[in-house]
Amino acid sequence: MYKRVLLKLSGEVFSGEGNKGFVKDRIDYLLGELKSVVEHGVEMGIVIGAGNLFRGAELSALRAKAADQIGMLGTLINAIYLKEILVNNGIKAVAISSSVNSPSFEPHKYDLIERYFATNHVVIFGGGTTLPYFTTDTAAAIRAIEIDADVLIKATKVDGVYNRDPKLYTDANRIGKITFKEAIEKGLKIMDKEAFSLCQRYKKPVIVINFFVPNSLLSAIIGEKTGTLVLPD
Ligand code: UDP
């Protein structure tokens, strides 16, 4: 079982794929999945996206740098939301941000973050990398490396990484395990390039799971074969 994980959640965990906002049954599902992990004593950091609110690329009337600021503000809204629903359901949690001075956030300080892990808090990172032109995948890679997580789990809406596009090819197969080097050679897209290259350079294993299959998160954490495991070369 992995002891410390960094979980990358898309904002769409709040709304359902392709939807916006916060939808009750999606939130109940999210809570159930996270609760089962916390009950196993896993130290969990979470980087949350903002796909349920704003993605920079969707705000095409704006300059990219401003659209991305709005996207990052969306991740801060989601970080507060996630923290509140966890706390309201008896799960200790803290929201961390280096980009805002807000009563809802603790500052991004390494010793403080360690104290929160030591006292069994889920540590939620809002605000992405703080920089425009990046995504929360890259923020997740950075935070996974910073907190020395045993693994980065990218929660998606697909079962893992396939050898060819399963929407186009009926004989496409899911890859259970692969190295970073092999993934590059085969031209597979695991996460965005910046995030991928950080994980490869800092030898951070990545597991891609389908978050919407019940228990897939816990299965990945306890080491059952699920999704796709990407290992250092
Ligand atoms: N964003 C950014 N810098 C970052 C992380 C995020 O500018 O380091 C912006 C970007 O516009 C992005 C939006 O915030 O589209 C929301 O993040 P993301 O698209 O990764 O959310 P997800 O798809 O995971 O819900």
Side-chain angles (χ1 to χ4, degrees), residues 59-175:
L59 304 174
S60 55
L62 311 183
R63 292 177 295 171
K65 58 189 173 187
D68 281 346
Q69 299 295 337
I70 292 175
M72 281 187 281
L73 289 172
T75 71
L76 292 167
I77 293 170
N78 281 341
I80 298 177
Y81 198 104
L82 181 56
K83 180 202 154 186
E84 289 300 310
I85 57 169
L86 289 176
V87 170
N88 285 349
N89 283 276
I91 300 171
K92 288 197 267 182
V94 61
I96 302 273
S97 163
S98 53
S99 54
V100 287
N101 180 2
S102 150
S104 292
F105 288 93
E106 296 287 337
H108 193 116
K109 305 251 185 224
Y110 295 141
D111 292 344
L112 181 65
I113 290 167
E114 284 306 322
R115 284 203 289 278
Y116 277 115
F117 279 130
T119 50
N120 308 317
H121 286 72
V122 175
V123 177
I124 302 158
F125 296 96
T129 63
T130 76
L131 297 170
Y133 315 119
F134 287 102
T135 68
T136 44
D137 273 10
T138 303
I142 294 170
R143 302 306 176 217
I145 296 161
E146 279 188 308
I147 66 168
D148 208 12
D150 300 317
V151 67
L152 189 168
I153 299 180
K154 183 174 152 75
T156 67
K157 51 200 172 207
V158 290
D159 290 337
V161 179
Y162 281 73
N163 60 343
R164 52 211 309 218
D165 188 344
K167 285 189 200 123
L168 300 179
Y169 301 94
T170 48
D171 61 346
N173 289 318
R174 181 172 60 81
I175 297 167

